[in-house]
Amino acid sequence: MKDVCRLEDLVAWQLAVRLRNLVHRLCEKPAIRRDFKFRDNLLDAASSAPRNLAEGWGRKYHREFARFAIIARGSEQEVLECCREARQRGYLTDEELDACDHAARKALKVLNPFIVYLESTPDWQRRA
């Protein structure tokens, strides 16, 4: 986490926020907006990743942060699956699914090695 002084500087958080923003725009589509349970689940999954990264950021030790980053990873995977389901239901076009897939995979590509880094630091490693 060299040169990262604020949560907003963390690329994994930035990409999670971009994914969340994309999902919020997609959920404005009438078909998704009318399917309350599906929409709420998708919005919650999309909001979960940046929230969990923020909570992890506030923890004292890297291993605690890693636990929240793993939860964020699960949420990003859930968003990806929800978008696939939305395409199956006819709520999204192929292009919209591709945009969601790209955003989710980009976020996951950054988050996975970050989790490895956090888990590899010694137990005594303390965040400033």
Side-chain angles (χ1 to χ4, degrees):
M1 283 192 352
K2 199 178 200 181
D3 299 326
V4 176
C5 300
R6 305 171 310 140
L7 173 64
E8 295 82 3
D9 298 328
L10 186 65
V11 174
W13 179 85
Q14 293 169 4
L15 294 173
V17 168
R18 282 187 199 161
L19 179 59
R20 179 187 66 198
N21 293 343
L22 172 61
V23 166
H24 277 261
R25 285 192 305 275
L26 293 174
C27 285
E28 290 300 313
K29 294 183 66 134
I32 296 176
R33 201 172 49 222
R34 283 190 300 268
D35 190 340
F36 302 116
K37 186 174 180 182
F38 180 80
R39 182 203 61 207
D40 291 348
N41 186 59
L42 178 53
L43 289 171
D44 187 51
S47 294
S48 177
R51 283 193 317 244
N52 274 289
L53 289 170
E55 185 165 354
W57 179 265
R59 298 298 169 140
K60 185 174 182 179
Y61 297 100
H62 282 190
R63 294 215 177 180
E64 291 177 305
F65 194 170
R67 188 167 49 95
F68 287 94
I70 289 167
I71 294 167
R73 179 174 60 194
S75 295
E76 289 173 351
Q77 281 292 158
E78 184 179 4
V79 167
L80 185 53
E81 180 54 30
C82 284
C83 288
R84 289 180 186 137
E85 183 179 350
R87 178 64 191 115
Q88 275 186 325
R89 292 181 181 202
Y91 297 167
L92 298 180
T93 65
D94 287 337
E95 294 77 23
E96 289 166 331
L97 175 59
D98 287 345
C100 186
D101 182 84
H102 178 74
R105 290 184 188 281
K106 189 172 182 178
L108 289 163
K109 187 176 182 180
V110 168
L111 190 53
N112 285 325
F114 182 59
I115 291 168
V116 170
Y117 162 74
L118 291 171
E119 289 180 327
S120 69
T121 56
D123 282 336
W124 51 264
Q125 182 69 40
R126 184 180 174 163
R127 294 192 56 249

